[in-house]
């Protein structure tokens, strides 16, 4: 059973930055991993993903502002979020897919393992 634990969420003003972390013991080096978010009343959105080789994929909504990375030695996935906007307000989740993909997917369909989420609130 993969256990994923997110941290680092909080409240920030527009234009600010946050870094989310996802502890995933033993899985960052062999799995595809992704960050997803869901705002109240909205569908879940895949925003960033990384494969075991470090190849990344981003949603257009965050490209150029967010950076996904991982530290295999620490078994931790990160999401650096800069230039935050009020529309970035959501619950953020990390997820793991026990498979190799040359291009990691932003579809939650492929990720069977999920964390509990961390809330990000951006005020204007």
């Amino acid at each position: 059973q993969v256990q994923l634990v997110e941290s680092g969420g909080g409240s920030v003003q527009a234009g600010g930055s946050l870094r989310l972390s996802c502890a995933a013991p033993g899985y960052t080096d062999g799995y595809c991993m992704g960050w997803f978010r869901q705002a109240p009343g909205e569908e879940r959105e895949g925003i960033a993903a990384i494969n075991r080789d470090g190849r990344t994929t981003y949603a257009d909504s965050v490209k150029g502002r967010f950076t996904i990375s991982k530290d295999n030695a620490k078994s931790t996935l990160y999401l650096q979020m800069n230039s935050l906007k009020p529309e970035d307000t959501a619950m953020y989740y990390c997820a793991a897919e026990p498979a190799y993909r040359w291009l990691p997917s932003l579809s939650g369909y492929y990720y069977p393992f999920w964390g509990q989420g961390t809330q990000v609130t951006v005020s204007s």
Side-chain angles (χ1 to χ4, degrees):
Q1 181 75 23
V2 177
Q3 291 188 329
L4 307 175
V5 180
E6 302 95 336
S7 61
S11 297
V12 64
Q13 289 191 328
S17 298
L18 284 174
R19 188 177 79 157
L20 305 183
S21 299
C22 173
Y27 296 102
T28 56
D29 58 347
Y31 284 39
C32 280
M33 299 198 71
W35 285 100
F36 296 77
R37 67 185 182 186
Q38 188 167 22
E42 302 288 332
E43 292 189 354
R44 183 178 61 196
E45 176 189 19
I47 57 173
I50 187 168
N51 73 3
R52 71 182 188 196
D53 300 327
R55 182 177 299 274
T56 58
T57 308
Y58 294 95
D60 289 343
S61 58
V62 305
K63 197 173 295 183
R65 300 188 299 122
F66 291 10
T67 302
I68 188 171
S69 64
K70 59 178 180 169
D71 185 332
N72 290 335
K74 297 181 178 180
S75 294
T76 302
L77 179 73
Y78 300 101
L79 185 68
Q80 179 66 44
M81 305 187 294
N82 298 329
S83 302
L84 283 161
K85 306 175 181 180
E87 50 263 45
D88 294 318
T89 295
M91 186 71 79
Y92 283 70
Y93 301 89
C94 68
E97 177 191 15
Y100 176 76
R101 292 184 185 276
W102 183 81
L103 187 65
S105 175
L106 294 179
S107 172
Y109 174 84
Y110 295 106
Y111 293 82
F113 305 118
W114 294 80
Q116 295 299 307
T118 186
Q119 177 68 38
V120 172
T121 302
V122 185
S123 58
S124 58

